[in-house]
Amino acid sequence: MGTETVRTEVFDEATELRREQRGWYFYDWACSVYSTSVLTVFLGPYLTSVADHAADADGYVHPLGIPVRAGSFFAYSVSLSVILAVVLMPLVGSAADRTGRKKQLLGVAAYTGAAATTGMFFLDGDRYLLGGLLLIVANAAQSVALMLYNSYLPQIAPPEERDTISSRGWAFGYASGSLVLIVNLVLYSAHDSFGLSETEAVRICLAGAGLWWGAFTLVPLRRLRDRGGRAGQEAGATAPGLRQLAATARDMRRHPLTLSFLLAYLIYNDGIQTVISQASVYGSEELGLGQSTLIVAVLLVQVLAVAGALTMGRLARTYGAKRTILGSLVAWTVTLAAGYFLPAGAPVWFFVLAGGIGLVLGGSQALSRSLFSHLVPPGKEAEYFAAYEMSDRGMSWLGPLLFGITYQLTGSYRSAIISLVAFFVIGFALLARVPVRRAIGEAGNPVPQKV
């Protein structure tokens, strides 16, 4: 009877864990539409047009009395959102670990971002300040929520399953982004048929992303479970965000191999983020491709990233996450080299390039997340994933800087795009030197068979 009871409890725990994992996938499904439809496609051009409408005769707007070129307002707003996220993430991460109320904090961050995104429906006329404020709030809230979401991975997946679980989460996100982007493109392209102006169609697309984000966030909030908080409160645990970040950095010095991985990730992820942000510039300015071609390319990346994430998750089960990531960095290098030779005015070859990016994009990010989850000391998941998320979002400035400087010196976007190979080569070299099995053991975690 006692043995049967134990078996039943084990079965119930396994069933609950699977249910929790499925709920975890759905946060990627919920929030990815913000990254795809809002940030990547619609908000940048639209907020810039609103700022242009409010600009003076010299093309300047004056938030808080500061003269800002209308064309730079979107970029500055994104930068301010990153600064806000850098302050908030370590503070919230430490609070989540300390109190064990990770799900409640995830809900607050997610619904703050969803509400700000939904409010973009009212972004019209010359309300550029409203647009900038909503963007700053939504973008910072998304960063905080993603940090908390990522920190669940070590708690809901045993070591041998993390690559697969992480890859499925990314695949859910890309599938969601693709689906909503298709609907938005139909609405935008055929807005006259729906009795809408172009502006109204964009505002509906923006607000719809917020409603989608909020609606599907209900699933993870119902299924994820809070674990107990960390026993004992370190000095500085209630410090402001930047002081808490310094405290986390000091703690990470006791785990130098975890820091070594984070440095490698910072480098090669900077390259990945720069390719994502600058590929459309390369396509329009160097290759002479139209907006419709670029939007289709974004959609192609989203669709193929689903297959890429799942495929690389299966490869990781055979070869280990580290080797699979290293292989993806080689693929990134080959893809950029091919992009250098793309002929101008040939959308088919640009689609081939987009397909190559899509196939390695999701897997590179998913496996990096799962590998890092093995390197986090137990009980400090949110705090360490705050540093990881900041590497992902807050530190990716070297790539755009190198891209801009190379173009300024050479006048060639081809030279600028090929310069990004350096990030993948350096990232490969740094990651190859990290003894991940020893790093996992030193972090106090069980070492999976394949890593």
Side-chain angles (χ1 to χ4, degrees):
M1 184 67 178
T3 302
E4 192 65 31
T5 301
V6 170
R7 288 178 178 174
T8 301
E9 290 177 352
V10 170
F11 176 79
D12 290 344
E13 178 64 25
T15 301
E16 181 63 27
L17 192 62
R18 295 300 180 198
R19 182 175 183 274
E20 198 170 5
Q21 289 168 355
R22 288 191 289 270
W24 185 79
Y25 300 149
F26 265 93
Y27 188 70
D28 239 325
W29 177 272
C31 74
S32 291
V33 298
Y34 171 81
S35 299
T36 304
S37 289
V38 177
L39 272 186
T40 304
V41 176
F42 288 110
L43 185 57
Y46 183 65
L47 181 55
T48 300
S49 70
V50 172
D52 280 334
H53 190 264
D56 60 22
D58 296 322
Y60 285 86
V61 291
H62 299 269
L64 304 178
I66 303 170
V68 174
R69 284 194 181 275
S72 299
F73 184 73
F74 174 74
Y76 289 151
S77 298
V78 172
S79 297
L80 286 174
S81 74
V82 171
I83 293 171
L84 178 60
V86 164
V87 173
L88 290 177
M89 281 193 289
L91 180 61
V92 176
S94 177
D97 288 333
R98 190 176 66 254
T99 64
R101 296 179 178 178
K102 189 181 300 183
K103 185 167 71 171
Q104 292 93 321
L105 291 170
L106 172 62
V108 170
Y111 279 106
T112 298
T117 305
T118 304
M120 292 177 186
F121 179 80
F122 301 101
L123 176 56
D124 196 11
D126 59 358
R127 298 175 180 170
Y128 75 97
L129 281 176
L130 174 64
L133 176 63
L134 293 175
L135 168 59
I136 290 168
V137 172
N139 222 33
Q142 189 207 33
S143 295
V144 172
L146 279 175
M147 174 266 295
L148 294 167
Y149 162 74
N150 286 337
S151 70
Y152 268 102
L153 183 58
Q155 299 176 338
I156 65 170
E160 66 276 6
E161 292 186 7
R162 287 184 197 167
D163 295 337
T164 300
I165 299 301
S166 182
S167 297
R168 287 177 181 170
W170 277 104
F172 262 63
Y174 282 116
S176 168
S178 301
L179 176 63
V180 175
L181 184 57
I182 290 172
V183 174
N184 286 342
L185 289 178
V186 170
L187 177 63
Y188 176 74
S189 301
H191 57 84
D192 289 335
S193 302
F194 295 102
L196 299 171
S197 67
E198 182 177 341
T199 296
E200 290 170 336
V202 171
R203 288 162 53 206
I204 290 173
C205 291
L206 294 173
L211 292 174
W212 179 284
W213 186 357
F216 284 103
T217 294
L218 290 171
V219 179
L221 291 183
R222 286 179 62 87
R223 294 193 174 188
L224 291 172
R225 291 178 291 168
D226 277 331
R227 273 72 176 176
R230 190 167 65 226
Q233 180 174 319
E234 295 91 338
T238 58
L242 291 178
R243 287 173 55 198
Q244 179 57 46
L245 175 60
T248 302
R250 287 194 299 271
D251 185 77
M252 292 182 76
R253 291 173 60 185
R254 298 191 293 113
H255 303 281
L257 296 182
T258 299
L259 268 178
S260 296
F261 171 81
L262 196 59
L263 176 61
Y265 173 74
L266 187 153
I267 298 296
Y268 69 73
N269 182 65
D270 200 347
I272 291 173
Q273 297 302 322
T274 306
V275 172
I276 294 171
S277 65
Q278 302 301 323
S280 60
V281 176
Y282 182 67
S284 61
E285 300 298 326
E286 184 69 33
L287 304 181
L289 303 176
Q291 184 67 32
S292 60
T293 299
L294 299 177
I295 292 177
V296 172
V298 170
L299 182 58
L300 182 62
V301 168
Q302 296 291 312
V303 172
L304 290 179
V306 177
L310 295 176
T311 299
M312 288 181 64
R314 285 191 287 268
L315 289 173
R317 289 202 298 270
T318 302
Y319 301 104
K322 177 182 173 180
R323 289 183 180 179
T324 307
I325 294 171
L326 290 173
S328 77
L329 298 182
V330 173
W332 275 105
T333 301
V334 172
T335 301
L336 284 181
Y340 178 83
F341 295 103
L342 284 185
V348 172
W349 288 110
F350 189 73
F351 292 149
V352 172
L353 179 70
I357 291 174
L359 288 174
V360 294
L361 174 61
S364 302
Q365 295 173 316
L367 294 180
S368 296
R369 175 173 65 185
S370 62
L371 183 53
F372 183 71
S373 73
H374 294 290
L375 307 178
V376 176
K380 296 188 175 182
E381 291 84 3
E383 185 178 335
Y384 271 59
F385 266 103
Y388 178 88
E389 191 67 22
M390 288 165 61
S391 297
D392 189 5
R393 295 177 179 274
M395 307 297 184
S396 295
W397 55 272
L398 280 174
L401 179 62
L402 177 62
F403 187 92
I405 290 175
T406 304
Y407 177 74
Q408 182 171 330
L409 294 176
T410 66
S412 168
Y413 282 105
R414 293 184 188 273
S415 299
I417 203 74
I418 201 66
S419 70
L420 301 179
V421 166
F423 290 92
F424 298 103
V425 173
I426 296 172
F428 182 100
L430 292 175
L431 179 59
R433 292 171 57 87
V434 179
V436 291
R437 300 186 71 85
R438 182 154 64 92
I440 293 170
E442 290 184 3
N445 295 313
V447 182
Q449 186 176 3
K450 293 287 185 179
V451 66

